Amino acid sequence: MPGSARPTQSSRTETVLLALCAALALALALSSPPGVPQQIWGGCAALGYAAAALAAVRSARRWAPPTAVVAAVGTVVVPFVVLVVLDRAQMEVGVVERAGDLLLGTGSPYSEDPVRVSDFNPYLPGMALFGLPHALFGEVPGAGLLAGPRWWFALCFLGTMVGAARVAGIGRRTRRAVALVTVCPAVALPLAIGGVDPPVVGMACLGLAYAGRG
């Protein structure tokens, strides 16, 4: 049609990669036990990646804003909100919440007499800081859903990645670069289900960006 966008080689490659991500997410959903966070993320993300692939087909430029927005909403935002509402998360979320409670109540994030696997805290003391909002506001009506560690994991990751991109001098490409990293399945999955890796990776990238500037 006259005036319609012509797919370029880069947009075709992007479409194939997004379709591959959709297939991987669907495979994870089908192979995971029913009701676990990974299955819920896989089902939501498969649709998100597929929708982003369709958006990429209609785009004449690489990683266009509509494609990035559809991918981010479908693979991170939607599954994140669904899991929060359903109160499903990785075990790490409960461990960090308990660490925050212990830090506030005893001054140490470690249990003196752990019995169950979830009683053990394998993380360095700083990780307990992500559990403090839950310890302070977890029982407040209306604030409990927003006090969980996964919100602060995500905010820390996004904030440090944006900071790293700016320190590295990416400039106006910062939003596109951070969005591209965020929707990668290896990042989108732990962000949505409450993994502790994203904030650690974000802070490491920020440190490397500063180190790169001497």
Side-chain angles (χ1 to χ4, degrees):
M1 292 178 61
S4 62
R6 290 185 177 182
T8 62
Q9 181 61 41
S10 60
S11 67
R12 293 191 190 99
T13 302
E14 187 174 287
T15 301
V16 171
L17 291 174
L18 288 167
L20 179 60
C21 289
L24 291 173
L26 181 60
L28 177 63
L30 295 175
S31 61
S32 298
V36 300
Q38 290 82 356
Q39 185 207 37
I40 296 171
W41 177 86
C44 293
L47 296 175
Y49 286 124
L54 292 176
V57 169
R58 301 176 61 86
S59 175
R61 56 179 291 199
R62 183 175 57 184
W63 199 233
T67 305
V69 170
V70 171
V73 171
T75 66
V76 179
V77 177
V78 170
F80 186 101
V81 172
V82 169
L83 287 165
V84 168
V85 171
L86 294 177
D87 196 23
R88 301 290 177 84
Q90 287 200 137
M91 185 185 294
E92 287 94 323
V93 171
V95 171
V96 173
E97 288 177 349
R98 179 174 172 79
D101 291 336
L102 288 171
L103 181 62
L104 192 64
T106 68
S108 171
Y110 304 104
S111 174
E112 295 183 356
D113 187 25
V115 177
R116 301 169 299 175
V117 173
S118 58
D119 293 338
F120 289 87
N121 178 8
Y123 308 118
L124 293 173
M127 189 60 68
L129 297 177
F130 291 102
L132 285 179
H134 178 269
L136 292 169
F137 306 109
E139 301 300 324
V140 177
L145 288 178
L146 301 177
R150 78 179 91 190
W151 292 97
W152 310 105
F153 292 160
L155 287 174
C156 179
F157 170 78
L158 294 173
T160 51
M161 289 302 293
V162 168
R166 290 182 175 176
V167 170
I170 292 180
R172 290 184 295 178
R173 294 176 295 165
T174 294
R175 284 186 295 181
R176 293 179 65 195
V178 173
L180 182 60
V181 171
T182 302
V183 302
C184 174
V187 176
L189 172 60
L191 269 180
I193 66 177
V196 299
D197 300 317
V200 176
V201 170
M203 286 186 280
C205 288
L206 182 58
L208 287 171
Y210 274 115
R213 293 184 59 177

